[in-house]
Amino acid sequence: MKDSVRNFQGWLLFAPAAILLLAFTHYPTITTFLNSLYTNKSVIRPRRFSGIEGYESMLSDPIFWKVFANNMWLALGTIPTSIGLAIIMALIVNKAIPGRGLLRMAYFTPTMLPMIAVANIWLFFYAPEIGLIDQAASIFGFESTNWLGSPSTVLPSIMVMTVWKEAGFFMVFYLAGLQTISPELEEASKLEGSSRWNYFWRVQYPLLLPTTLFVLINAFLNSFKLVDHLFVLTKGGPDNASNLILYYIYETAFAFLDISYASALTIFLLVLLALTALAQFLFIEKRVHYR
Amino acid sequence: MSSIEVKGLSKSWGEIEAVKNVSFVVPEKSFTVLLGPSGCGKSTILKMLSGLESVTSGSIKIENRDVTNLEASKRGVSMVFQSYALFPHLNVKENIQFGLKVRKVPAAEREKRVAEAANAVGLSDLLDRKPSNLSGGQRQRVALARSIVSDQSVCLMDEPLSNLDSKLRAEMRDEIRDLQQRLGLTVVYVTHDQVEAMSMADQIILLNSGQIVQKGAPEEIYNYPNSIFSAQFIGLPPMNILNLKKIDITDLSKENQKKIEISKNSINLGIRPEHLNFSKKGLPVTVKGIDYFGGETVFKISHSGQDFFLREPRQPKIHLDDKLNISWDPEDMHLFKKNNQRFTS
Amino acid sequence: MTSKNKFTSSLELMGAYILAAFWVLPLLYAFWAAFHYSNDAIHFNIFSPLTLDNFREAWSQAPFLRYGLNTFLLVSFILPGQLLISTLAAYAFVRFKFSGANVAFALVLVQLMITPEILIVQNYVTLSKLGLVDTITGMGLPYVASAFCIFLLRQTFKSIPKELEDAAELEGCSTMGILWKVYVPLATPTFIAFSLVSVSHHWNNFLWPLIISNSVETRPLTVGLGIFGSPETGVDWSIMSAATLISVAPLLIAFLIFQKQFVQSFMQAGIK
Amino acid sequence: MSKFFKKLSYSLTVALGISMISGAAIAKTELTMYYPVAVGGALTQTVDAMVADFMSKNPDIEVNAIYSGNYDDTRIKALTALESGKPAQLSVMFSIDVHELRELDAIVPFDDLVSTSEEKAWLNSFYPSLMENGVAAGKTWGIPFQRSTIVMYYNKDAFREAGLDPETPPATWGGLIAAAKALTKDDGSQWGLMIPSTGYPYWMFGALAMQNGQTLMTSGDKTNFDHPDVIEALEVWKSFGEDHKIMPKGTIEWGTLRQNFLEGKTAMMWHSTGNLTTVKKKADFDFGVAMLPAGKRRGTPTGGGNFYIFKDTSDEERKASMKLIKFMTAPENSAKWSVATGYMGVSPDAYETDTLKSYVAGFPPAAVARDQLKYATAEFSTYQTSRVKKGLNDAIQATLVGSKTAKEALTEAQAAAERILKPYR
């Protein structure tokens, strides 16, 4: 009797969260899937069941492959660099050096800026001819480069900006990781005459491995959600060279009003993210645990 | 008049029976200690008394009121927890008056009662401190004050001294006992420390594996342990137990021989270390260890492969590996039957 | 320390400062440009005159005050909602082992992966059915139940000793009384950590507010800035810098003042 | 359910309306209107001022004008608002959105709204080329408001420096290339010409294609991307950067181009006439505006935004909307708008007003866009415009950045357009 009361109370407390989660996470996930199986309703043609046609046309859509590849390149281009820089920053800031507070603030500040503002600022740097980078380059006699206007440079340009924005954020996780390493370990390793470099590779780095994997997965998930800068910088151009999945979903749904196709794209993105998260749970979590 | 009456109390979680058919009575204004090794069910009994744990079967009466199914807060008991359970975000004063506020006691009365309680435990100067800025003993006092201020006649204490160092523990023992008598509280006190039990209790309820082994006043249990468990749980070093088969009875005094003969079934002989004496005749032993404590000396001695202890108030000139004899008075000897129960004539 | 060590460590120190310089430079440049005429800003004329015209211009071209108010309203709707709902849910998970709790928790964790950003299309449809498009409520609602917050609070609540709850129960606290008098105050550091992370996230959020807001009355700073800075209108460096600074100023100033707490909060939220 | 509520709210409104009339009170008609801005300057203030002026003259109408970003943003906002229960009654949207809006059954034709002969005359008072994009299926769906053509801005100082006559800007492609070569400096500090290829590449391309003798579409369901003349036009565009080296290679930002021109980084730019006033204000050199040069002929698409009235509106709201549109497009207001922005006066009458007359007299470039109208065609517009347009834009950019040839890119774009448009034939 008492148990059933607690049971009911528990559900009652959980109910508000449950309702909102169902309404804005689970229900839309399911309807997105259903919508991807139907065609759009329009005045000319009624909605009809189309099965996997949407997915077939997705697989034969060169833009889809392009944006997917872009997303992958973006992840590949930004995550290792960001993580490397984040580790360096964390090592710097974790030590008692003059101006530590200022350094930490400097590294972390970009994290506090909205991506849209970051894009505005970096637009100044990348603008051809009049942008800061081009002006600096012209001093040394380099030709002007249309950083955001040519397919070979637009993605790298965005990567540099993304690294700038994210490295300080990841630094925080490494700082937290470093602080769990007992200082006695460093003292012990110093007594044994090991160099700092050695100490990093033999002690700190392996102990930070769980942090790295955590950051890796989250950075990967994040890289699919971050598209704000495209609205300011390139709108995905030129010729989709900087377009990303989520931005393509936005375009498809809200500019082309093609809910059916946008749903198929969304489901693809969801499956991709789900697999990544699953990999984290099943595979990596078990392998890298020291405690 | 009895304050608490427990009848046939049991608690089980699925297959596991933590408390088996326990019954006892706690007289009013008395100090009762539930004593036993860890896992014996003593804390579970206390939690059932408090109402924080539900009862599987049996009944609990507090001040003649059946409270078996009553909510914790309505049983008229207060409690002191092992970890003190002080609220870290509240200062001493707020901790003490926590329950009064919940029960909506008017501010003026609250102030008065908090001041009294704080005074009783000597905390009046520390009311603004946070628990994190208090020593272990001070935290203990806050927990006591919180219990006192509630004005409940029954106070339950769950190993309240286990987190203190030994010197402080001795002090607090006296203080708690003193407080209990001054305020006329009925205390049920859980501990695994027999010293605490002996020094504080009016009544000890000794438990093992969820069952009551023996209950009674401390000296009663000490002098007449009803089983080897009782005999060895109380007293330090514990009572020596010697297997009669490994002893040549003829080494012992006539009186002792006679006493042993009467108890045909007994297989073990119990004798407390302080009741043994080195003597010219008696059981031959070898000295295997000497621990000198100043006021007393404890010898580890051995007879036919059995090690046991002898306690001497003086410092006799005895050395390791000396071969000596020991003897004892027959009144001090306890005999135990095959089932480890005491033999009584 | 040997002289060689000294040399390498001062070299490292220099590296640290140079890296930091690179990291603040973009923002400093924007700051500098906002106070100069665009011609001077582009040509990097260090000694050119200072001006407030850009701010005046930006301020008159878009209702930043209103945008700021909208952002403030948005954050003040989301955060208390998140804290309230997550507190109740976390309490249910930790102290009420209700039947199906494990499945329920798994369903909560799903949202860590499928954040509302990804479900923009369907969530838009849902909100328009509810008539909440172009409202602050609609902008905040999908974020109010936060799996992350529930998860954090659950971890924190789990670490609170059961004895504290017993003590309160014995003193006559009700179930909800225990939550408000014991659990909530003890989880204060977690509440602060999550709040700072949540506020900075939603202050800076763009895509969903862009979709759901239609008018000046609901448009938050980021969307206002996005529309303002959208290069289709033709970019004026200095005015855009000024507008950017106006938009990021509230949060940035708060960060500069409380930077330690912010970093600590992000750390704390990240560990769990 | 919604039907029931609609009925209910309708009857309530009627009841309320009757009671109000009987109470001799004037009910205010509330209008919500979205409008985009695609060029520089404080256009929002100009629009707000005009709207305020309108409201002071029509106290029974309350207009809530909402600036909603660029053309795409505005269409998205207006359409989503329709579905969300907080609809707008009218909006300025891209002139080329007409097919898409009709397919969604979102707008009403103006032919159904005009009744008096005076109104019919008003409907015929605009420049015919500006009406082209607003007409479909024999009816008029859009009224021109912020309309433009592409014009060529050029830096007269740079012309003088390069030994060119600042008063005779190039009038043919050949002349353009020659002049641009003279204007391009080897050290890269000044280019001869820039044509933007982000934002609205298809628009610029519409001009080049027409100059080469071919329009991009024949009707809402038929595109001509793979026509040899169109392909050739794209090759010409590409050759400016690739072969003649008078323009930077790759794409050129629509948004930052004006700044490039003002900074002297390019001596000529093609841009919307809607930028004229801003350029005039900000240029610290002598500049001129010319019609686009001719290939086989002169040519430019018109561009910009039209007024639309949404279908989901009451009679009063439609009447009020008509009032507002008539006000905003009346000769005097159109003239003021033109002076403030650089957009064209939408009717010949606008250019007959004193405002515009004296402005043009003092600043002749203000008339170039209008003069160019006689060579103008409709802006590219089809069913599913956004998607077809994206295909074309991608093709143009792919060619300019060199990842595809003009022929490949445009043939693919044509095939994609065929697929999309087939159901509409």
Side-chain angles (χ1 to χ4, degrees):
Chain A
M1 149 73 196
K2 208 180 171 195
D3 271 2
S4 70
V5 170
R6 304 259 318 158
N7 210 1
F8 176 71
Q9 285 176 328
W11 274 106
L12 205 65
L13 290 172
F14 177 53
I19 291 167
L20 285 172
L21 283 168
L22 283 174
F24 295 111
T25 302
H26 303 107
Y27 166 76
T29 304
I30 293 164
T31 42
T32 300
F33 178 67
L34 292 179
N35 278 337
S36 74
L37 301 178
Y38 285 87
T39 61
N40 293 309
K41 189 182 84 178
S42 85
V43 176
I44 301 171
R45 288 163 300 176
R47 181 178 141 107
R48 71 174 170 87
F49 182 78
S50 60
I52 58 164
E53 271 174 39
Y55 294 95
E56 281 170 358
S57 64
M58 178 174 88
L59 295 179
S60 62
D61 174 6
I63 299 178
F64 161 72
W65 288 108
K66 178 92 195 162
V67 295
F68 176 49
N70 285 344
N71 257 122
M72 288 319 221
W73 280 117
L74 194 72
L76 201 68
T78 58
I79 296 172
T81 323
S82 300
I83 287 181
L85 278 168
I87 293 177
I88 292 172
M89 288 171 171
L91 289 173
I92 292 172
V93 172
N94 197 42
K95 285 189 8 174
I97 53 167
R100 175 165 101 159
L102 281 177
L103 286 173
R104 185 179 54 194
M105 190 168 78
Y107 299 148
F108 193 70
T109 301
T111 303
M112 300 305 297
L113 300 176
M115 197 61 181
I116 205 89
V118 170
N120 272 346
I121 294 171
W122 281 73
L123 189 63
F124 304 164
F125 299 140
Y126 286 138
E129 317 285 341
I130 50 176
L132 226 51
I133 295 178
D134 257 19
Q135 286 199 49
S138 76
I139 295 173
F140 299 103
F142 289 105
E143 244 185 70
S144 153
T145 315
N146 193 349
W147 297 102
L148 298 175
S150 83
S152 55
T153 52
V154 63
L155 215 49
S157 299
I158 286 176
M159 286 176 192
V160 170
M161 187 187 80
T162 311
V163 168
W164 179 78
K165 170 97 167 84
E166 301 250 276
F169 181 51
F170 299 152
M171 168 191 80
V172 164
F173 298 103
Y174 282 102
L175 261 183
L178 282 175
Q179 289 183 358
T180 62
I181 299 177
S182 150
E184 284 173 8
L185 286 180
E186 182 166 16
E187 284 158 16
S189 118
K190 258 191 191 155
L191 276 178
E192 284 165 22
S194 113
S195 70
R196 206 143 53 69
W197 185 242
N198 202 23
Y199 174 66
F200 173 73
W201 278 114
R202 292 283 169 80
V203 182
Q204 286 176 311
Y205 180 73
L207 285 176
L208 287 176
L209 220 53
T211 310
T212 302
L213 280 160
F214 172 80
V215 172
L216 205 64
I217 298 285
N218 282 287
F220 187 73
L221 295 180
N222 237 3
S223 70
F224 285 91
K225 294 172 188 164
L226 201 62
V227 297
D228 301 357
H229 51 282
L230 296 184
F231 286 86
V232 168
L233 290 179
T234 64
K235 305 235 178 254
D239 188 22
N240 297 306
S242 64
N243 207 349
L244 300 173
I245 296 181
L246 188 54
Y247 189 80
Y248 190 44
I249 292 175
Y250 168 82
E251 270 188 317
T252 307
F254 293 99
F256 308 158
L257 303 172
D258 188 345
I259 302 293
S260 165
Y261 190 44
S263 298
L265 290 168
T266 306
I267 291 297
F268 171 81
L269 185 55
L270 286 182
V271 169
L272 190 73
L273 297 185
L275 289 179
T276 312
L278 213 63
Q280 179 184 23
F281 276 124
L282 297 181
F283 185 63
I284 296 162
E285 283 271 297
K286 279 188 186 142
R287 281 207 162 177
V288 191
H289 249 289
Y290 293 91
R291 272 153 295 204
Chain B
M1 191 186 155
S2 63
S3 182
I4 303 176
E5 213 178 322
V6 172
K7 266 193 199 149
L9 193 64
S10 297
K11 175 75 190 178
S12 48
W13 284 283
E15 297 283 287
I16 304 154
E17 272 194 290
V19 175
K20 301 167 199 161
N21 194 24
V22 165
S23 303
F24 60 87
V25 167
V26 177
E28 205 180 358
K29 295 183 184 177
S30 74
F31 200 111
T32 295
V33 172
L34 298 176
L35 178 68
S38 61
C40 72
K42 56 190 189 299
S43 287
T44 309
I45 295 174
L46 196 74
K47 286 212 159 166
M48 286 192 282
L49 292 182
S50 72
L52 293 171
E53 196 70 74
S54 64
V55 169
T56 305
S57 67
S59 72
I60 301 168
K61 271 188 181 175
I62 295 179
E63 306 197 309
N64 288 325
R65 199 160 54 115
D66 189 337
V67 298
T68 315
N69 292 313
L70 208 61
E71 273 174 47
S73 57
K74 295 190 177 141
R75 294 190 177 194
V77 299
S78 64
M79 189 156 173
V80 177
F81 292 86
Q82 183 173 10
S83 65
Y84 320 135
L86 301 185
F87 301 110
H89 58 292
L90 303 178
N91 65 24
V92 170
K93 186 180 174 187
E94 291 162 339
N95 258 295
I96 295 175
Q97 65 178 8
F98 184 88
L100 300 182
K101 271 195 158 170
V102 172
R103 292 174 205 271
K104 305 220 160 55
V105 173
E109 194 196 335
R110 214 163 61 209
E111 290 288 331
K112 195 174 131 247
R113 278 165 71 175
V114 169
E116 279 170 14
N119 194 35
V121 295
L123 277 175
S124 305
D125 296 337
L126 302 174
L127 288 177
D128 295 331
R129 295 253 189 107
K130 284 273 171 71
S132 54
N133 295 327
L134 296 176
S135 70
Q138 288 165 337
R139 286 180 205 180
Q140 174 64 69
R141 287 191 170 99
V142 179
L144 283 174
R146 194 168 65 189
S147 178
I148 292 166
V149 84
S150 68
D151 238 1
Q152 313 284 14
S153 58
V154 174
C155 176
L156 309 174
M157 300 192 184
D158 187 3
E159 308 218 18
L161 303 181
S162 61
N163 288 332
L164 301 177
D165 62 55
S166 59
K167 186 159 171 275
L168 205 53
R169 208 179 302 168
E171 274 175 44
M172 290 306 296
R173 280 205 302 261
D174 293 346
E175 226 167 288
I176 290 176
R177 181 67 169 148
D178 181 52
L179 214 55
Q180 180 258 331
Q181 285 172 344
R182 214 156 17 105
L183 301 175
L185 295 171
T186 307
V187 170
V188 180
Y189 186 106
V190 162
T191 184
H192 61 269
D193 181 347
Q194 51 100 16
V195 178
E196 273 174 32
M198 294 298 285
S199 61
M200 297 168 89
D202 294 323
Q203 174 189 221
I204 292 176
I205 296 173
L206 183 62
L207 293 146
N208 190 27
S209 311
Q211 283 172 313
I212 294 179
V213 176
Q214 190 172 6
K215 50 190 167 187
E219 51 278 17
E220 194 184 333
I221 295 184
Y222 189 81
N223 292 332
Y224 305 102
N226 67 358
S227 61
I228 291 184
F229 179 82
S230 269
Q232 288 211 299
F233 199 82
I234 287 175
L236 194 80
M239 183 185 279
N240 298 316
I241 302 292
L242 299 172
N243 191 329
L244 280 170
K245 280 179 190 152
K246 293 186 178 172
I247 293 174
D248 186 352
I249 303 284
T250 54
D251 285 343
L252 306 183
S253 67
K254 290 267 157 32
E255 292 92 330
N256 281 333
Q257 289 185 29
K258 213 177 190 176
K259 205 171 173 191
I260 291 167
E261 252 165 59
I262 296 169
S263 64
K264 283 279 186 242
N265 297 328
S266 296
I267 55 160
N268 282 314
L269 173 164
I271 182 99
R272 296 209 179 265
E274 64 267 32
H275 293 149
L276 290 176
N277 302 303
F278 290 117
S279 57
K280 295 215 171 94
K281 287 205 294 184
L283 200 65
V285 294
T286 312
V287 177
K288 294 186 94 178
I290 304 171
D291 281 332
Y292 173 61
F293 292 106
E296 61 179 42
T297 310
V298 173
F299 295 91
K300 189 177 178 191
I301 52 182
S302 171
H303 170 82
S304 63
Q306 299 186 84
D307 291 346
F308 52 103
F309 297 99
L310 181 152
R311 198 151 81 180
E312 264 287 339
R314 284 148 308 169
Q315 305 162 33
K317 291 209 157 61
I318 287 170
H319 304 99
L320 272 182
D321 296 329
D322 283 358
K323 298 206 185 311
L324 300 162
N325 297 83
I326 53 165
S327 62
W328 57 85
D329 280 348
E331 303 92 87
D332 294 330
M333 183 171 66
H334 309 267
L335 291 164
F336 296 99
K337 298 184 285 187
K338 209 175 174 183
N339 62 359
N340 291 339
Q341 295 297 307
R342 182 188 187 87
F343 168 80
T344 40
S345 49
Chain C
M1 208 183 253
T2 64
S3 66
K4 191 188 159 213
N5 271 346
K6 236 177 203 165
F7 177 71
T8 45
S9 82
S10 64
L11 211 65
E12 281 171 6
L13 210 58
M14 221 161 79
Y17 290 133
I18 291 173
L19 189 64
F22 267 108
W23 247 246
V24 289
L25 216 64
L27 198 61
L28 281 186
Y29 174 70
F31 190 76
W32 180 84
F35 287 99
H36 291 81
Y37 290 106
S38 50
N39 284 352
D40 297 327
I42 287 168
H43 296 298
F44 219 67
N45 296 331
I46 309 265
F47 301 107
S48 53
L50 289 168
T51 173
L52 286 172
D53 280 3
N54 301 314
F55 288 94
R56 220 168 283 137
E57 189 91 342
W59 195 259
S60 73
Q61 282 185 22
F64 281 103
L65 204 61
R66 177 76 217 197
Y67 294 165
L69 176 70
N70 294 335
T71 298
F72 178 76
L73 290 175
L74 175 66
V75 171
S76 3
F77 168 63
I78 293 179
L79 183 64
Q82 283 178 326
L83 295 181
L84 178 70
I85 283 178
S86 307
T87 301
L88 297 179
Y91 190 47
F93 282 122
V94 172
R95 288 300 182 232
F96 299 76
K97 308 267 185 276
F98 57 91
S99 54
N102 287 337
V103 178
F105 190 61
L107 283 175
V108 169
L109 290 184
V110 165
Q111 200 221 24
L112 283 181
M113 179 184 70
I114 308 178
T115 52
E117 278 85 41
I118 297 170
L119 295 166
I120 45 174
V121 181
Q122 274 309 315
N123 280 341
Y124 183 86
V125 174
T126 307
L127 285 169
S128 67
K129 275 183 196 151
L130 295 173
L132 288 175
V133 168
D134 198 26
T135 60
I136 303 271
T137 313
M139 209 181 293
L141 210 52
Y143 291 97
V144 167
S146 158
F148 182 53
C149 190
I150 294 174
F151 180 74
L152 272 185
L153 284 174
R154 179 175 166 270
Q155 299 290 94
T156 310
F157 285 177
K158 266 184 156 178
S159 71
I160 291 173
K162 179 85 164 52
E163 283 198 340
L164 288 182
E165 184 183 336
D166 287 346
E169 191 183 338
L170 209 68
E171 301 280 12
C173 267
S174 63
T175 307
M176 289 320 265
I178 290 170
L179 177 60
W180 296 130
K181 291 213 170 88
V182 180
Y183 280 78
V184 169
L186 285 176
T188 308
T190 305
F191 279 109
I192 292 175
F194 176 79
S195 300
L196 289 182
V197 172
S198 168
V199 165
S200 16
H201 182 252
H202 292 289
W203 196 281
N204 292 340
N205 199 11
F206 174 74
L207 184 58
W208 175 247
L210 169 77
I211 291 166
I212 204 79
S213 71
N214 285 338
S215 60
V216 173
E217 279 69 34
T218 56
R219 201 175 281 159
L221 276 172
T222 45
V223 178
L225 181 65
I227 291 179
F228 185 89
S230 145
E232 321 235 347
T233 60
V235 177
D236 183 302
W237 277 181
S238 294
I239 295 176
M240 194 140 103
S241 293
T244 305
L245 284 185
I246 292 172
S247 306
V248 302
L251 190 64
L252 200 63
I253 291 170
F255 166 67
L256 293 181
I257 296 173
F258 301 109
Q259 65 125 330
K260 210 165 174 185
Q261 286 86 331
F262 268 88
V263 174
Q264 223 94 60
S265 294
F266 272 79
M267 262 164 72
Q268 212 188 339
I271 296 169
K272 294 199 168 149
Chain D
M1 165 192 133
S2 70
K3 236 180 195 169
F4 171 71
F5 272 98
K6 259 185 193 164
K7 260 189 185 163
L8 184 73
S9 62
Y10 178 67
S11 45
L12 274 177
T13 318
V14 170
L16 214 64
I18 291 167
S19 69
M20 277 188 151
I21 289 165
S22 65
I26 304 164
K28 267 200 176 189
T29 309
E30 274 193 47
L31 295 179
T32 298
M33 164 186 126
Y34 293 102
Y35 68 94
V37 172
V39 293
L43 262 67
T44 54
Q45 288 160 330
T46 316
V47 174
D48 288 346
M50 287 167 77
V51 167
D53 189 19
F54 172 75
M55 284 196 284
S56 71
K57 285 177 181 137
N58 297 276
D60 57 332
I61 301 174
E62 172 92 26
V63 183
N64 181 19
I66 301 168
Y67 163 53
S68 45
N70 62 33
Y71 287 115
D72 281 335
D73 295 341
T74 303
R75 187 188 65 248
I76 293 168
K77 285 300 151 208
L79 290 181
T80 51
L82 284 183
E83 298 205 352
S84 67
K86 249 182 145 184
Q89 284 70 42
L90 74 163
S91 276
V92 179
M93 287 185 284
F94 225 159
S95 59
I96 62 174
D97 288 335
V98 63
H99 295 294
E100 217 154 321
L101 292 169
R102 276 184 54 229
E103 186 184 352
L104 290 164
D105 201 20
I107 51 174
V108 285
F110 283 87
D111 311 67
D112 299 0
L113 299 174
V114 297
S115 43
T116 62
S117 59
E118 177 242 318
E119 280 176 331
K120 277 178 188 149
W122 168 77
L123 201 53
N124 288 322
S125 67
F126 302 100
Y127 282 112
S129 1
L130 295 182
M131 296 302 279
E132 273 184 49
N133 275 112
V135 174
K139 286 188 169 174
T140 304
W141 307 80
I143 298 297
F145 174 58
Q146 52 180 52
R147 297 302 298 270
S148 58
T149 60
I150 304 168
V151 293
M152 186 163 78
Y153 297 81
Y154 65 101
N155 185 331
K156 288 188 179 174
D157 290 354
F159 268 55
R160 286 188 196 100
E161 198 189 328
L164 300 170
D165 178 8
E167 300 314 320
T168 48
T172 63
W173 286 0
L176 180 74
I177 291 164
K181 273 193 176 146
L183 288 160
T184 303
K185 292 185 181 165
D186 290 339
D187 62 357
S189 64
Q190 180 179 300
W191 292 96
L193 171 68
M194 287 193 191
I195 300 173
S197 40
T198 69
Y200 308 90
Y202 73 93
W203 195 42
M204 292 290 152
F205 186 52
L208 283 160
M210 193 182 179
Q211 288 157 19
N212 209 30
Q214 183 60 48
T215 53
L216 294 175
M217 88 287 185
T218 337
S219 60
D221 54 20
K222 176 82 187 77
T223 59
N224 306 323
F225 301 159
D226 56 352
H227 190 283
D229 289 347
V230 173
I231 293 170
E232 195 189 11
L234 187 50
E235 281 160 355
V236 167
W237 190 352
K238 186 182 164 87
S239 75
F240 289 157
E242 203 70 25
D243 308 330
H244 304 298
K245 307 208 183 322
I246 53 174
M247 194 166 88
K249 278 191 246 179
T251 58
I252 292 170
E253 261 297 316
W254 168 277
T256 53
L257 176 55
R258 190 187 68 218
Q259 194 90 35
N260 274 313
F261 180 69
L262 293 174
E263 289 299 319
K265 293 288 176 188
T266 179
M268 295 183 278
M269 71 162 177
W270 290 16
H271 217 296
S272 165
T273 176
N275 256 321
L276 182 58
T277 303
T278 312
V279 172
K280 181 177 174 234
K281 251 188 252 167
K282 300 232 166 167
D284 51 10
F285 51 82
D286 194 11
F287 78 97
V289 175
M291 283 191 232
L292 297 184
K296 291 174 186 165
R297 49 162 293 183
R298 282 193 192 266
T300 173
T302 59
N306 280 347
F307 273 113
Y308 297 94
I309 293 180
F310 291 109
K311 196 165 192 174
D312 190 12
T313 41
S314 68
D315 280 348
E316 269 120 71
E317 286 167 346
R318 289 180 187 187
K319 268 185 199 137
S321 300
M322 280 294 284
K323 252 191 197 168
L324 177 62
I325 295 171
K326 274 195 277 186
F327 176 84
M328 299 288 272
T329 55
E332 186 54 40
N333 276 322
S334 182
K336 273 193 214 153
W337 172 245
S338 176
V339 172
T341 60
Y343 281 112
M344 306 168 54
V346 288
S347 60
D349 290 346
Y351 285 91
E352 293 306 314
T353 60
D354 291 341
T355 315
L356 212 43
K357 258 187 184 164
S358 62
Y359 185 65
V360 169
F363 183 57
V368 173
R370 175 201 58 184
D371 298 341
Q372 199 177 215
L373 267 186
K374 57 177 170 284
Y375 306 111
T377 179
E379 183 172 7
F380 177 76
S381 166
T382 62
Y383 290 96
Q384 300 248 345
T385 289
S386 318
R387 182 172 275 183
V388 177
K389 213 172 66 185
K390 180 173 167 66
L392 178 56
N393 285 343
D394 288 350
I396 294 167
Q397 292 185 341
T399 308
L400 290 178
V401 301
S403 56
K404 286 176 193 158
T405 67
K407 188 163 186 196
E408 275 167 16
L410 286 172
T411 313
E412 277 171 29
Q414 176 68 20
E418 287 288 326
R419 259 202 317 280
I420 297 168
L421 295 177
K422 214 162 131 199
Y424 296 93
R425 288 184 193 141

